[in-house]
Amino acid sequence: MSRIIGWFNRDKSQPAVSGTVGNVEFTRLDPRELKEVSVVAQALDNQWVPRSILKTMLHSRKRRGLRDVAGDLQPVVRAEYIRSLLTAQQVVVNRAYFANTAVVRQDHLPGSPNREAFKGLLAAGTIVPSLLYEDSPIEPPVFNVDPQGFASWQHICEEVRTQCVRLSWDDAENRSKFAQLDVRFRAYISSLSAIAESGNAQRLVADLGLPLEQLEGFKRRLREVSSWTAAQAGHVRRNDLYKQFIVAPRSNPVDGEYDPGKPFSGELKQLLDLSYAVNLPDALGRYALTPVDSLPRTSLQEVTVRYAENPHKVTAGELKRLLQREVFSQVMTALGEEGFLRSLHHLSLAEVQTVRGSNEWAAYIEEVRRLLADPLSFETRAGTIFDSYVDLARVINRVSTQARITANLERWTPAITLMINIGGALITATMNPFGQALPAQVAYNFAGNVAQDATQVVARMIIGGISNRGAQARLENSIDFMNAQMNNARQQWGELIEEIRRMQDQQREEQAAEAFRRSQDLYDPNINFSEEILAVEVAP
């Protein structure tokens, strides 16, 4: 499921500045000038692989690299790219991807049917090139790029005024901020030993899909990675860790020849990729869009508030209100037997433009924008956001070229889930608008793992297809709408858990009373008791 991460204060008082290089004009955006719902899509990272394909690569009899799985991988990456364009106001794209990433490059090459729509999305500031140290979008890179792709990109920049963003347009400050990204990445890798020593390691193993009997071995590997990182001089980059712990000996990390002989190489790759992916959007003060079939950000188990100025303070009482059934009872939708687009990679960029021009898209974005501005409004806004996303899904389906997708429709049965991460401890509540029982995959961690004083609180809403219902269209989306801080965290955690247990006891009593009424033929079959929240269980 796609996940939009973050919540920050922003100052937009600074005006945009124009830049000119030869006959190329562009706008120099300060990160604070990005729109509220702006994202960086992790799927465009040249090392991103969905878990299902990664598993195939690691368990193949013959070593398989990224080139070998390109046919399976590219439609998935394309679908995530289209998803980002449909669910955000702006998508920040590394400038190199326009030349080197096939799913992006294909839209602007001469003769591409998407070329005019691509230019339109650039001109509108929907697609925002991100520069590293370059002063302009056409500056020749210091690394190898596809020559045809880069030449095409240069021509595009001559035809369209792009809006480019850098961490800072002051060179010294920009270098300093990028150096901090390396520091932050290394700090996370160094913290893996602390995760291994905590009770939260068990939840990480569950997130990664490892059997519990591998817990001790995985913890040993986390300590080894952390110790190796601490012993290195200077910056430790992802490529260094790939060579040591993930890829085959003497292979180039860019080729993606992941080595199953290195313990937990696939699991470590997922952690490294996720930690790497969230750094830039966090530094920009916007959101990381993590793809379907990927590790969620909560798996990083971050315990500090990062890149947030004056973070919002949240209390256990406020979080309790977000978990009440009255919040979920607002979610009422029925899709019947409608067929929905199986994968978003079928959409053209012209169709994306049409969807983005619809009233339904504008309504959905406005609801998301309001939630990000006031996260505690989830208490009253959850149902409206859910319904607006379902309406948007219908528009996506309607806009798609029917003749092309007739054989690519599936039923979509969405549910809404709320996840609250408190310093690595997780609470999850799921509501099924159709009333069927869902498998309980809900847990919270031992309270002793929550920090004694202040800790980070992240809340996420997920709109996703219900599993175990057969085929499901891939229209899932999620929003990490709160990144706040809780003071006296351990005490408030205990109070929150007691409240949840009380709410569960009350729910069980109501269910027992309902069963009694049913047995006495007093149950009105026209009343829909579909707002059930699944039980919250204590992880052993």
Side-chain angles (χ1 to χ4, degrees), residues 394-405:
R394 286 192 169 102
V395 172
I396 293 169
N397 216 47
R398 186 171 68 243
V399 166
S400 305
T401 305
Q402 195 61 46
R404 178 158 48 84
I405 67 165

Side-chain angles (χ1 to χ4, degrees), residues 278-351:
V278 301
N279 277 347
L280 178 60
D282 278 4
L284 290 171
R286 293 305 185 267
Y287 314 111
L289 194 69
T290 57
V292 169
D293 199 16
S294 289
L295 203 61
R297 182 171 184 160
T298 51
S299 298
L300 295 179
Q301 300 188 14
E302 299 159 298
V303 296
T304 59
V305 179
R306 304 183 187 275
Y307 292 106
E309 300 174 3
N310 303 315
H312 176 76
K313 303 296 193 300
V314 68
T315 66
E318 289 170 326
L319 296 181
K320 185 201 77 169
R321 289 200 300 272
L322 303 189
L323 290 161
Q324 290 175 331
R325 283 191 300 167
E326 288 76 7
V327 174
F328 290 77
S329 66
Q330 303 172 59
V331 181
M332 298 295 293
T333 187
L335 300 180
E337 296 298 325
E338 290 185 45
F340 282 81
L341 190 62
R342 181 183 301 167
S343 178
L344 296 174
H345 82 270
H346 293 286
L347 286 175
S348 69
L349 291 192
E351 290 168 335

Side-chain angles (χ1 to χ4, degrees), residues 433-460:
F434 293 88
Q436 292 92 351
L438 298 180
Q441 298 176 345
V442 186
Y444 56 80
N445 297 88
F446 176 61
N449 295 328
V450 176
Q452 181 70 43
D453 46 15
T455 194
Q456 185 183 33
V457 177
V458 176
R460 172 188 305 152

Side-chain angles (χ1 to χ4, degrees), residues 371-445:
L371 180 62
L372 293 173
D374 181 13
L376 292 176
S377 69
F378 178 83
E379 183 181 358
T380 58
R381 201 172 296 282
T384 306
I385 292 180
F386 181 88
D387 290 340
S388 69
Y389 188 73
V390 172
D391 289 342
L392 177 60
R394 286 192 169 102
V395 172
I396 293 169
N397 216 47
R398 186 171 68 243
V399 166
S400 305
T401 305
Q402 195 61 46
R404 178 158 48 84
I405 67 165
T406 299
N408 292 286
L409 297 179
E410 292 178 354
R411 186 173 180 179
W412 186 44
T413 309
I416 183 171
T417 297
L418 174 66
M419 300 177 69
I420 301 175
N421 187 312
I422 304 176
L426 189 65
I427 298 171
T428 305
T430 299
M431 178 271 172
N432 173 13
F434 293 88
Q436 292 92 351
L438 298 180
Q441 298 176 345
V442 186
Y444 56 80
N445 297 88

Side-chain angles (χ1 to χ4, degrees), residues 146-261:
D146 178 85
Q148 182 187 19
F150 190 67
S152 174
W153 169 245
Q154 288 178 310
H155 287 307
I156 286 288
C157 291
E158 293 173 356
E159 300 174 32
V160 177
R161 184 187 180 100
T162 60
Q163 299 181 27
C164 301
V165 67
R166 280 197 346 177
L167 290 183
S168 172
W169 291 97
D170 177 85
D171 288 341
E173 183 180 15
N174 190 59
R175 286 192 297 271
S176 175
K177 288 188 174 183
F178 265 107
Q180 286 303 308
L181 297 189
D182 288 335
V183 170
R184 184 186 178 195
F185 180 69
R186 178 172 182 152
Y188 175 73
I189 304 306
S190 298
S191 76
L192 293 178
S193 59
I195 293 176
E197 299 304 327
S198 74
N200 290 338
Q202 183 171 326
R203 184 169 67 78
L204 179 54
V205 163
D207 287 348
L208 290 164
L210 288 169
L212 190 57
E213 55 265 28
Q214 294 190 31
L215 173 61
E216 293 304 317
F218 184 62
K219 288 164 64 174
R220 283 195 299 272
R221 193 57 166 171
L222 291 180
R223 295 187 197 102
E224 290 168 2
V225 174
S226 185
S227 297
W228 181 89
T229 301
Q232 306 309 303
H235 293 308
V236 175
R237 293 181 169 84
R238 186 170 58 157
N239 266 14
D240 302 324
L241 290 154
Y242 263 54
K243 290 177 181 179
Q244 184 71 19
F245 298 104
I246 295 173
V247 299
R250 295 177 296 281
S251 70
N252 189 334
V254 75
D255 294 329
E257 295 182 358
Y258 312 126
D259 189 350

